[in-house]
């Protein structure tokens, strides 16, 4: 069954043109699973178009019955369920190589924004980083986006990429990062 998931993942990567991403296995725990922030933005965009993924990824918890036992799965994104956050889709992750990670699309400064945080020191750091990004964006007087503008993308607002020294993971580094 695992090889079928890998085959489907590779076909999905090709369809999304995620050229810098490789999935070694399906659990997401392998350090051989690698991607870049640019590719993860593509993945978040695709996931946000799927209402099932969006709905399940933003649940605080979900109960599953397996035989006679009930299991409760809790969302590890501490922003889920907070009344001041409107998160459309999200995924947290961790490997030894990548550290604590968070990808999400959320409404910030009255517009949808995709955030990719990699290599946070702890689960609280990625939460605090997301809060700081939102606070920074909401403080801006004019349209500015932190992160990437896809090559060839021309936004109506004329947004340009911004690199912030406080957020080194938001630079235009094209090197691969483990998922």
């Amino acid at each position: 069954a695992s090889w079928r998931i890998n085959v489907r993942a590779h076909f999905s990567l090709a369809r999304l043109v995620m050229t810098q991403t490789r999935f070694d296995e399906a659990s997401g725990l392998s350090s051989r699973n690698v991607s870049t922030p640019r590719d993860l933005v593509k993945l978040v965009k695709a996931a946000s178009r799927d209402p099932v993924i969006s709905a399940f990824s933003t649940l605080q918890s979900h109960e599953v019955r397996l035989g006679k036992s009930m299991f409760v799965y809790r969302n590890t994104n501490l922003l889920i369920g907070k009344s001041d956050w409107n998160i459309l889709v999200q995924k947290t992750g961790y490997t030894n190589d990548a550290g604590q990670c968070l990808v999400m699309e959320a409404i910030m400064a009255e517009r949808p924004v995709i955030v990719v945080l990699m290599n946070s020191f702890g689960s609280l750091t990625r939460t605090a980083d997301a809060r700081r990004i939102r606070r920074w964006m909401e403080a801006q007087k004019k349209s500015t986006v932190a992160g990437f503008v896809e090559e060839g993308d021309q936004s109506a607002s004329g947004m340009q990429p911004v690199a912030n020294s406080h957020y080194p993971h938001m630079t235009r580094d094209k090197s691969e990062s483990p998922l």
Side-chain angles (χ1 to χ4, degrees):
S2 179
W3 67 269
R4 284 189 212 124
I5 291 170
N6 276 340
V7 168
R8 276 185 254 159
H10 287 292
F11 281 120
S12 295
L13 294 176
R15 191 169 53 250
L16 294 174
V17 193
M18 295 176 64
T19 59
Q20 301 301 308
T21 298
R22 289 187 311 276
F23 289 121
D24 180 61
E25 52 78 47
S27 76
L29 300 175
S30 171
S31 292
R32 292 187 305 238
N33 292 345
V34 295
S35 192
T36 62
R38 184 181 305 271
D39 275 2
L40 291 174
V41 166
K42 294 173 186 177
L43 187 62
V44 171
K45 285 179 181 179
S48 70
R49 291 190 295 267
D50 186 313
V52 174
I53 293 174
S54 293
F56 274 96
S57 79
T58 56
L59 290 175
Q60 283 186 279
S61 64
H62 186 71
E63 292 184 10
V64 176
R65 178 178 297 282
L66 294 174
K68 294 180 182 180
S69 300
M70 288 295 290
F71 294 89
V72 178
Y73 294 91
R74 300 191 195 293
N75 201 316
T76 56
N77 183 344
L78 301 176
L79 301 173
I80 295 295
K82 300 289 183 199
S83 61
D84 61 333
W85 279 86
N86 184 1
I87 298 172
L88 307 173
V89 67
Q90 67 84 41
K91 174 72 176 91
T92 59
Y94 173 82
T95 65
N96 287 333
D97 290 334
Q100 297 284 339
C101 299
L102 169 66
V103 297
M104 69 177 175
E105 182 173 10
I107 303 300
M108 295 183 192
E110 300 178 11
R111 64 183 178 264
V113 176
I114 293 175
V115 175
V116 175
L117 299 173
M118 302 173 106
N119 202 24
S120 293
F121 297 112
S123 59
L124 297 178
T125 306
R126 65 185 177 203
T127 301
D129 284 348
R131 286 186 171 133
R132 281 188 283 274
I133 290 167
R134 184 180 74 170
R135 194 169 36 249
W136 177 80
M137 289 191 65
E138 290 173 350
Q140 300 305 301
K141 301 272 190 250
K142 57 185 178 178
S143 282
T144 307
V145 168
F148 299 104
V149 173
E150 291 290 328
E151 290 178 20
D153 260 4
Q154 295 299 320
S155 67
S157 64
M159 295 181 284
Q160 296 298 312
V162 173
N164 185 323
S165 62
H166 296 289
Y167 300 100
H169 49 280
M170 293 169 51
T171 63
R172 294 187 62 120
D173 185 343
K174 294 188 177 189
S175 65
E176 290 184 345
S177 296
L179 291 175

